[in-house]
Amino acid sequence: MPAIGDVARLAGVSKATASRALSGRGHVAADTRRRVQLAASEIGYIASPDAASLVTGRTKNIGVVIPFVNRWFFGAVLDGIERTLLAAGYDLTLYNLPVSGPERSRVFEFFLARKRVDAVIVIGVDLTPGEIGGLERREKPVVCIGGSGEVTARLTIDDHGVGALATSHLLHLGHTRIAHLAGVGATSQPASVAGLRAAGFLETTDAAGLPLLADESSAGGPGAILVEADMGMPAGFAAGLQLLGHPAHRPTAVFAASDEMAFGVIRAAERLGLSMPRDLSVIGVDGHEHAELFDLTTIEQSPTEQGRLAVEVALRMLGGEGGGGGAPDPLPDSGAPMPTRLVVRGSTARPAVA
Amino acid sequence: MPAIGDVARLAGVSKATASRALSGRGHVAADTRRRVQLAASEIGYIASPDAASLVTGRTKNIGVVIPFVNRWFFGAVLDGIERTLLAAGYDLTLYNLPVSGPERSRVFEFFLARKRVDAVIVIGVDLTPGEIGGLERREKPVVCIGGSGEVTARLTIDDHGVGALATSHLLHLGHTRIAHLAGVGATSQPASVAGLRAAGFLETTDAAGLPLLADESSAGGPGAILVEADMGMPAGFAAGLQLLGHPAHRPTAVFAASDEMAFGVIRAAERLGLSMPRDLSVIGVDGHEHAELFDLTTIEQSPTEQGRLAVEVALRMLGGEGGGGGAPDPLPDSGAPMPTRLVVRGSTARPAVA
DNA sequence: TTGAAAGCGGTACCAC
DNA sequence: GTGGTACCGCTTTCAA
C-alpha cells in the first residue's frame, strides 16, 4: 500500500511538500502540485485517515446514535445525515442503541468515548445526565434530534404544540370522545417526545372540558382516553383493535403519536368493519411517505431536513475554535423549533351525528 | 485526554507493559496488570483506535454499503449487522449508496478504498467488475448479501427458486392469469435479485403453458403478465391500480417481488373495491414484520440472520492469515443458499369460479 | 516479566 | 515555495 513517502519520491519532492500539495493546506507551486497529484494517482495513493487523525486530532467521522433503524422517521433522519456527511467528506459511524442494559452503556462509555468520532448526533433518545456528562468530559459536541436530556444543541419540533394541534383539529371537527395513542413512556418521561405530545393532548382536551377517562372501557359519552403503545404499526393495530372493539365505548376519533401507529389503527378499523372517516377519524404525526396512500391526515415534519441540519450544526460546532464552550449559538434560528404542517386528508371529518 | 504514557507513569511501569496489560496481548504479572488497569480507569484512559490501527493495520471497523435505509429488508439486515459488530467490538461505517453517479464512485474509490475499514459488507447492490476489482486490489474482504457481481463471498437466498415457488403456489391454487410485479431492472439485469425472481416466474408460467402477455391491458384469459416497478409500497400501489383497474383484463393473482410491493397492491385492491382473496390473490417475498397484519402470504427469509452471518463471514476472512486468497471457503454450508419458507395466509386462495 | 526504542503514516513547525 | 524533523499514541521486536 503506497504511502506519502512513495509519492514524494516519485514526484521528486519532500514528504512535507507532497502533504501540502495533496491536502491543499499551505502554499505549493502550481507546477509542483500537479506533479505530486500525478504521482499520487499514478501509484493509486490514498491518504491514511488514521495517520492524519493522529496528528490533527480530527477524524472526519461522526457517530450517530439511533434507537431503531427500521422506523420510517429514524430511517429518514439517517438518510439526511448520511448524504450530508458524505458530501462533506465525513464518515458516519452508526450505533443502534439498545433501550437500556449493558450494551447501552458500552456505546457511551467505550465506543463514543474514544477518539474515533469528532462529534455525536443522537436521534430520539432520552439521554441520562451521566451519558451527557461523559460526552462533555471528552469535549465531544453532541447534537440531538428529538429525545430529551439537558444538552446544548437540540433540533426538535414543538411536540407539545403538535399534540395540541392534532387534538384541536379533532375538536374543531366536533369530536367529543377522543383517544390518544401515545408512545411508551409518555407518562413516565414527561420531557420525552411521547410525553410532550401526550401533554398537548391532555391540556387541550381538558381545556375543552373533556374529562380524562380511566381507560378505553369507560362508559360512553364525551371524554379523553390515553393509551400507551410502541410507536410502530403492529402496536397501533393491536391498540386499535382494543380501543375500537366495543361499539359502546368506541371513540369517534384517534390521535396517534406517529403515522405508523395511525396506519395500524386504520387497518384495525377496517378489520372491524368501520368505515373512515364516517365511523372514525384518525390523525397521525410525521408526514410518513405512505400517509397519502392511507389517505391519512397528519402533522408533517421533515426528518431528512432535520438530519441535514444536525450535521450542519455539528460541523459548525467542530469548526468553531475547539472548545465550543463559549461559542455563539450554533443552532439555526436561535434554537426555534423546526417547522411542522397540518396536512388534512380523508381520514378526518366531522363525526357522524349521534 | 490521557494517553497510555500517563497510565504507565501512574502505574509505575513502561508504556510497553501498560500496553500489554491493557490489551491482553503478551504476558504480564497478574499484579502488574491490576495496577495498570486501576491506573487506567483512575484517569479515564481509553486507547486511541487510530494510533492502534496505524501500527496494527487493523481498524476494527467494517464498511457497510446499502442502497436504502428505509426499506424493511435493508433495515433488518443492517440491524443484524450492527448488533453482531457491536458485540465483537467493531464499528460500523455506513455508506448509503446512490444508485449511480459520481457519488457512487466516490464511495468506492475514496471512502472504501482508504485504510479506514477492514472489510466491506455490501447489501443488495449490483456491483460492477470495476468496483469489485478496486476493493480486491486493496485486499479488502467483501461480503455480499443479495445483489450481483463476481465476488468471492456472497450470502443469498435462491431467488430463482423463490420466483418459481411463489408462482407454483398460485398455479396450484388454480390461477391462470397471473401478474408478476418485478423490481426495477428485472429484465436489464438478469443476475440481479429482481431478475432472478422474474426468471423463476417466467419459467414456471411458461412450463404451465401460460403465454407471456405483452402488457397488462392484453385481452383477458390465461396468461402471464410482467410489470417492473420500484420495490416499495407506493410503487406497488400505483402498479396495482394500473394492473387491477380494468375488470376485463384483471389478473386473478399477483406475485409481488417484495412484501412492501404486495402491501401496496393490497391497498390498491381495497381501493378498487376488490375483496381478498375472493377477487384477487396476492403473494409477496420477505417475511416483512407487517405481513401478518396484512394477512399476506409470503416467502419468508431472515434478513437479520443474514446480517449476522455476513459479519461472521467477514470476521472469519479477516481472521484468516491476511490474504484471503487461498483461504478455505469462509461461507457456511459451502455457500448454499440461505433458507426460505412459504408462509400461507389469507391473501391467497383458489380463484372464484369464472 | 519488563523496558527501551523503533516505527506505523501522516502533519506542521521551523529554517532555508 | 520547499525541505528537514519532531511528534501524534500506540504496538512490537529485541535485550535485559
Side-chain angles (χ1 to χ4, degrees), chain A:
Chain A
M1 214 98 313
I4 200 169
D6 303 322
V7 176
R9 201 169 316 117
L10 187 61
V13 297
S14 70
K15 279 171 52 178
T17 303
S19 173
R20 282 186 287 250
L22 293 171
S23 68
R25 271 184 291 266
H27 290 266
V28 182
D31 177 55
T32 311
R33 155 166 298 125
R34 256 193 301 282
R35 272 210 334 279
V36 172
Q37 286 171 334
L38 189 71
S41 70
E42 194 112 4
I43 60 178
Y45 166 78
I46 298 179
S48 154
D50 306 271
S53 303
L54 201 51
V55 46
T56 61
R58 284 298 169 78
T59 60
K60 296 207 92 182
N61 184 27
I62 302 282
V64 173
V65 180
I66 211 173
F68 318 92
V69 228
N70 239 325
R71 284 275 218 284
W72 180 79
F73 175 82
F74 294 103
V77 173
L78 190 55
D79 203 60
I81 293 177
E82 216 283 334
R83 283 172 156 54
T84 315
L85 284 179
L86 207 73
Y90 272 69
D91 278 331
L92 184 168
T93 296
L94 183 71
Y95 298 102
N96 200 166
L97 197 66
V99 210
S100 71
E103 306 242 316
R104 172 162 173 146
S105 24
R106 210 158 87 90
V107 169
F108 284 98
E109 287 161 24
F110 174 65
F111 285 103
L112 292 176
R114 296 174 306 166
K115 259 181 52 46
R116 191 165 242 175
V117 295
D118 290 339
V120 181
I121 297 178
V122 182
I123 314 171
V125 172
D126 298 315
L127 255 23
T128 69
E131 289 164 348
I132 297 171
L135 258 16
E136 275 177 353
R137 214 165 306 125
R138 296 217 129 68
E139 300 182 4
K140 280 203 207 308
V142 179
V143 180
C144 286
I145 297 180
S148 64
E150 286 297 322
V151 84
T152 26
R154 153 162 288 124
L155 255 43
T156 183
I157 58 173
D158 173 9
D159 284 296
H160 185 280
V162 162
L165 176 57
T167 310
S168 306
H169 174 65
L170 298 174
L171 286 169
H172 285 332
L173 286 171
H175 293 276
T176 52
R177 188 175 173 89
I178 305 175
H180 175 42
L181 241 59
V184 170
T187 52
S188 65
Q189 301 245 43
S192 68
V193 168
L196 292 170
R197 291 182 189 172
F201 167 75
L202 290 174
E203 288 176 24
T204 308
T205 48
D206 189 59
L210 296 188
L212 178 61
L213 306 177
D215 70 345
E216 73 266 20
S217 57
S218 296
I225 302 167
L226 185 71
V227 180
E228 279 193 24
D230 176 272
M231 302 245 272
M233 182 164 170
F237 181 75
L241 286 182
Q242 189 86 3
L243 207 54
L244 309 172
H246 296 289
H249 309 143
R250 180 183 305 149
T252 61
V254 175
F255 159 36
S258 82
D259 282 348
E260 297 187 11
M261 285 178 123
F263 298 155
V265 173
I266 290 175
R267 283 211 73 79
E270 291 169 346
R271 179 69 56 93
L272 293 168
L274 304 178
S275 100
M276 269 188 13
R278 225 192 74 89
D279 304 323
L280 181 74
S281 283
V282 179
I283 182 172
V285 180
D286 275 348
H288 193 292
E289 62 174 324
H290 297 166
E292 192 173 0
L293 216 149
F294 281 87
D295 204 16
L296 175 68
T297 294
T298 184
I299 297 179
E300 284 189 357
Q301 58 176 324
S302 179
T304 308
E305 171 66 8
Q306 288 172 39
R308 195 188 64 69
L309 250 143
V311 170
E312 224 164 67
V313 172
L315 259 31
R316 203 172 307 153
M317 292 171 84
L318 247 25
E321 55 271 43
D329 195 342
L331 255 38
D333 299 332
S334 320
M338 306 284 300
T340 55
R341 195 166 64 96
L342 172 65
V343 178
V344 180
R345 295 206 181 83
S347 69
T348 49
R350 330 190 76 80
V353 280

Side-chain angles (χ1 to χ4, degrees), chain B:
Chain B
M1 214 102 310
I4 201 171
D6 304 321
V7 176
R9 201 169 317 119
L10 187 61
V13 296
S14 71
K15 281 168 51 179
T17 303
S19 173
R20 283 186 284 252
L22 293 172
S23 70
R25 271 184 292 267
H27 291 267
V28 182
D31 177 55
T32 311
R33 155 165 296 125
R34 255 191 303 280
R35 270 210 334 277
V36 172
Q37 287 171 332
L38 189 72
S41 69
E42 195 112 6
I43 60 177
Y45 168 77
I46 297 179
S48 154
D50 305 272
S53 303
L54 201 52
V55 45
T56 61
R58 286 296 168 80
T59 60
K60 298 207 94 185
N61 184 28
I62 303 283
V64 173
V65 179
I66 210 173
F68 317 93
V69 223
N70 240 326
R71 284 277 217 281
W72 179 80
F73 175 82
F74 295 103
V77 172
L78 191 54
D79 203 62
I81 292 176
E82 216 283 334
R83 283 173 156 53
T84 314
L85 283 179
L86 207 73
Y90 272 70
D91 277 331
L92 183 168
T93 297
L94 184 70
Y95 298 103
N96 200 166
L97 197 67
V99 209
S100 72
E103 305 242 316
R104 172 162 171 148
S105 25
R106 210 158 89 90
V107 168
F108 283 97
E109 287 160 24
F110 174 65
F111 285 104
L112 291 175
R114 295 174 307 167
K115 260 180 53 45
R116 191 164 243 178
V117 295
D118 291 337
V120 180
I121 297 178
V122 181
I123 314 174
V125 172
D126 298 316
L127 256 23
T128 69
E131 290 164 348
I132 298 170
L135 259 16
E136 275 176 353
R137 213 165 306 125
R138 293 220 134 64
E139 299 182 7
K140 281 201 206 310
V142 178
V143 181
C144 286
I145 297 182
S148 63
E150 286 297 323
V151 85
T152 26
R154 152 163 291 125
L155 256 42
T156 183
I157 59 173
D158 173 8
D159 284 296
H160 186 280
V162 161
L165 176 56
T167 311
S168 307
H169 174 66
L170 298 173
L171 286 169
H172 286 331
L173 286 170
H175 293 275
T176 54
R177 189 176 173 90
I178 305 176
H180 173 42
L181 240 60
V184 170
T187 51
S188 64
Q189 301 245 44
S192 68
V193 168
L196 292 169
R197 292 182 188 170
F201 166 75
L202 291 173
E203 289 176 24
T204 308
T205 47
D206 188 58
L210 297 187
L212 178 60
L213 304 179
D215 71 344
E216 74 264 20
S217 57
S218 297
I225 302 167
L226 185 70
V227 180
E228 279 193 24
D230 176 274
M231 303 247 271
M233 184 163 171
F237 181 74
L241 286 181
Q242 189 85 2
L243 206 53
L244 308 172
H246 297 290
H249 310 144
R250 182 183 303 149
T252 61
V254 174
F255 157 37
S258 82
D259 282 349
E260 297 186 11
M261 285 178 125
F263 298 155
V265 173
I266 289 176
R267 282 211 74 80
E270 291 169 347
R271 177 71 54 94
L272 293 169
L274 303 179
S275 102
M276 269 191 8
R278 225 190 73 89
D279 304 322
L280 181 75
S281 283
V282 179
I283 181 171
V285 181
D286 276 347
H288 193 292
E289 62 175 324
H290 298 163
E292 192 173 359
L293 217 149
F294 280 86
D295 204 16
L296 176 68
T297 295
T298 186
I299 297 179
E300 284 188 357
Q301 57 176 325
S302 177
T304 308
E305 171 66 7
Q306 289 173 39
R308 196 187 63 67
L309 251 143
V311 171
E312 227 165 64
V313 171
L315 260 30
R316 203 173 307 151
M317 290 172 83
L318 247 25
E321 54 273 42
D329 194 345
L331 254 37
D333 300 328
S334 320
M338 306 286 299
T340 54
R341 195 166 63 96
L342 173 65
V343 178
V344 180
R345 297 207 179 85
S347 69
T348 50
R350 331 189 76 78
V353 279

